[in-house]
């Protein structure tokens, strides 16, 4: 059964997220108001396109940070971001460190 999962990553800087996405071959689409999952769309402020995936990762504003939501049912998302999004978390940490 498909459902939306929250990726455990605290995102405070979209520029850092964009660099992390680029490092993994993903694309942050700023201003996209819905992301695709299991034949439906869910609201978001931005979305991450994953090459070869039918679904997307939603970037949802939560107070002073962003939350990442996706449907891991599309196996291409997990291939791109790693198990439990480990590759994306690592790429975000690297990009943040380089900026600081």
């Amino acid at each position: 059964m498909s459902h939306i999962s929250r990726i455990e990553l605290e995102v405070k800087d979209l520029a850092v997220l964009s660099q992390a996405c680029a490092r993994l071959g993903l694309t942050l689409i700023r201003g996209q108001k819905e992301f695709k999952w299991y034949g439906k769309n869910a609201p978001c402020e931005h979305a991450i396109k994953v090459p070869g995936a039918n679904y997307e990762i939603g970037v949802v504003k939560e107070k002073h940070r962003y939350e990442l939501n996706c449907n891991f049912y599309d196996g291409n998302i997990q291939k791109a971001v790693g198990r439990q999004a480990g590759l994306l978390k690592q790429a975000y940490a690297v990009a943040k460190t380089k900026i600081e």
Side-chain angles (χ1 to χ4, degrees):
M1 179 175 191
S2 294
H3 63 281
I4 294 177
S5 299
R6 184 169 62 88
I7 295 174
E8 296 291 332
L9 174 64
E10 185 173 295
V11 176
K12 292 186 177 180
D13 188 332
L14 289 176
V16 173
L17 180 60
S18 182
Q19 288 181 16
C21 288
R23 182 179 184 100
L24 298 175
L26 314 175
T27 305
L28 175 64
I29 308 297
R30 292 179 185 241
Q32 183 173 319
K33 298 299 181 192
E34 294 183 328
F35 71 100
K36 297 175 195 164
W37 73 282
Y38 195 62
K40 302 174 185 177
N41 290 338
C44 64
E45 280 68 40
H46 314 285
I48 298 172
K49 297 249 185 232
V50 178
N54 293 320
Y55 303 158
E56 299 168 319
I57 300 171
V59 181
V60 180
K61 183 79 170 168
E62 291 291 333
K63 297 184 182 179
H64 302 292
R65 63 181 177 83
Y66 292 94
E67 182 177 281
L68 303 181
N69 297 308
C70 70
N71 185 330
F72 283 112
Y73 184 77
D74 185 330
N76 288 323
I77 289 180
Q78 185 165 316
K79 285 179 189 175
V81 300
R83 188 164 193 260
Q84 297 179 342
L87 295 174
L88 181 58
K89 293 173 187 177
Q90 183 180 35
Y92 186 86
V94 168
K96 184 173 176 146
T97 300
K98 284 183 177 181
I99 287 176
E100 290 178 354

